[in-house]
Amino acid sequence: MRSVLTPAALRDRGQVTIEFLGMTPTIIVTLIALWQVVLVGYTFILAGNAADEAVRQATAAEPGARQAACEAAGLKHLSEAWRSGADVTCGGSGYVTADVNLQVPILFPGTLSFPFTVHGHAGAVEEAD
């Protein structure tokens, strides 16, 4: 059996293709925005974890070697994309704190970064001998 297209059906041929092509830029922009949100969230996770690692090592280190141990531990688990703009500082006596600042990459880690930083903070009581 052969299907016969009416004049109304002939006018609507290709409509789905045209509508999809019209929506393609919107779909792409939405996917890019979602990816950027994921990168911002991942940067927050990395900053918090780096601060936790840094303060953990800083509490076990001697006061004179605290900053070096803190910085090494804070940067240890960061990939080069986040490590290049990272700032790790530790301070305090008795109650040690670590602050980590990371730059948020734009779309691809290791290329451009936004002009704001994500801050991670952690604190722990100094270990006794």
Side-chain angles (χ1 to χ4, degrees):
M1 179 184 266
R2 200 169 143 201
S3 84
V4 177
L5 294 175
T6 63
L10 285 173
R11 285 192 308 263
D12 290 341
R13 289 182 68 187
Q15 185 66 32
V16 172
T17 303
I18 297 299
E19 288 177 5
F20 179 74
L21 287 175
M23 288 300 296
T24 300
T26 305
I27 293 168
I28 290 172
V29 168
T30 302
L31 289 175
I32 289 171
L34 287 173
W35 175 247
Q36 190 59 54
V37 168
V38 166
L39 280 177
V40 170
Y42 186 58
T43 304
F44 272 100
I45 291 170
L46 287 176
N49 183 59
D52 288 341
E53 294 289 333
V55 79
R56 187 174 299 121
Q57 289 299 318
T59 57
E62 295 295 323
R66 181 168 289 158
Q67 181 59 35
C70 171
E71 191 168 342
L75 297 176
K76 182 179 178 182
H77 298 292
L78 295 176
S79 69
E80 184 57 39
W82 278 272
R83 189 181 307 138
S84 61
D87 177 40
V88 181
T89 57
C90 284
S93 179
Y95 184 74
V96 180
T97 60
D99 293 301
V100 176
N101 294 313
L102 298 178
Q103 294 179 343
V104 178
I106 299 175
L107 294 181
F108 301 104
T111 56
L112 299 173
S113 295
F114 281 111
F116 67 91
T117 59
V118 168
H119 180 73
H121 178 78
V125 176
E126 192 173 4
E127 294 181 8
D129 291 332

